[in-house]
Amino acid sequence: MPPFTVLHVCMGNICRSPMAERLLVLAVRERLGRLGVDPAGSDALVHSHSAGTGGWHAGEEMNPPAARQVISRGGAVDGFAARRLRSDLIDAADLVLTATADQHEYVVALRPDAAGRTFVLGEFGRLLGALDRAGLPPVEATPDSVYARGVALVEAADAARQGSSALPTDDLDDPWGRGDQCFSRVADEIEETVQPLAAALLP
């Protein structure tokens, strides 16, 4: 039940998936602000969180260059702590977005019943852009409406990808240990999916 829950997955949970987590939060808040709705209630509509397949950074803060990207775009990094991916996190997610195809395989191997709601982030962005939304539930800025809309979006994206697979270009490069320019490019690629997702979930 509401809120619509999005789980972002990468390897260490200190770079890519934390940026995706917080940039989706930012996109939802900005969308609500344009609607004249108090963005403070965004977590009641869309819950965005993340985890890593590796787990060796558990408890750590976001990698500093990743944090700089989130903050420079208007997001917040406070309260973040890396954690290892667990089965219960997958079970509770309405949509799982992985940084790479390898991580997609990891999630599906751990929870085969999550295959229909697990996508490589870039893959989901491509599918979302091509969806005919005419048959989707109407959307209002209420938890029940956003949840129903989100579940329908995921089902439609899963139906649209039948017979195809993610492309190599759907993967997010791992920016760990690289410069701010690489982190900026990866953050741009994340926004190319999370901003349209926020727009599809909200009026």
Side-chain angles (χ1 to χ4, degrees):
M1 292 302 293
F4 181 72
T5 299
V6 183
L7 174 64
H8 306 272
V9 177
C10 70
M11 183 179 292
N13 193 215
I14 57 170
C15 297
R16 291 168 290 180
S17 58
M19 286 196 291
E21 170 191 325
R22 296 303 174 97
L23 290 174
L24 177 56
V25 170
L26 175 62
V28 169
R29 285 175 171 259
E30 288 178 340
R31 188 82 182 176
L32 290 174
R34 287 194 292 271
L35 294 170
V37 177
D38 183 0
S42 62
D43 203 49
L45 300 175
V46 180
H47 177 50
S48 177
H49 63 148
S50 62
T53 58
W56 49 84
H57 294 290
E60 292 184 19
E61 297 180 347
M62 199 180 302
N63 193 238
R68 285 196 291 273
Q69 288 302 317
V70 173
I71 293 168
S72 70
R73 293 160 196 257
V77 300
D78 54 297
F80 179 82
R83 59 185 176 172
R84 182 167 187 169
L85 181 66
R86 304 188 311 265
S87 297
D88 62 300
L89 298 176
I90 300 171
D91 293 343
D94 301 301
L95 171 62
V96 183
L97 297 174
T98 69
T100 68
D102 285 347
Q103 288 142 17
H104 177 279
E105 291 176 6
Y106 184 99
V107 170
V108 173
L110 196 60
R111 275 291 185 260
D113 62 343
R117 49 193 167 88
T118 303
F119 301 79
V120 179
L121 185 134
E123 173 194 27
F124 188 77
R126 283 191 299 104
L127 294 167
L128 186 61
L131 286 183
D132 179 5
R133 302 179 192 176
L136 297 176
V139 63
E140 301 171 7
T142 64
D144 287 345
S145 175
V146 172
Y147 180 81
R149 176 82 166 188
V151 169
L153 277 172
V154 172
E155 290 174 350
D158 183 43
R161 70 172 164 178
Q162 296 306 312
S164 65
S165 58
L167 304 174
T169 51
D170 292 331
D171 281 7
L172 290 174
D173 285 342
D174 187 352
W176 189 85
R178 300 167 72 178
D180 283 336
Q181 185 174 359
C182 180
F183 275 86
S184 178
R185 176 174 57 80
V186 171
D188 286 345
E189 292 174 4
I190 290 169
E191 287 187 329
E192 288 173 4
T193 293
V194 299
Q195 290 183 348
L197 174 56
L201 289 171
L202 295 159

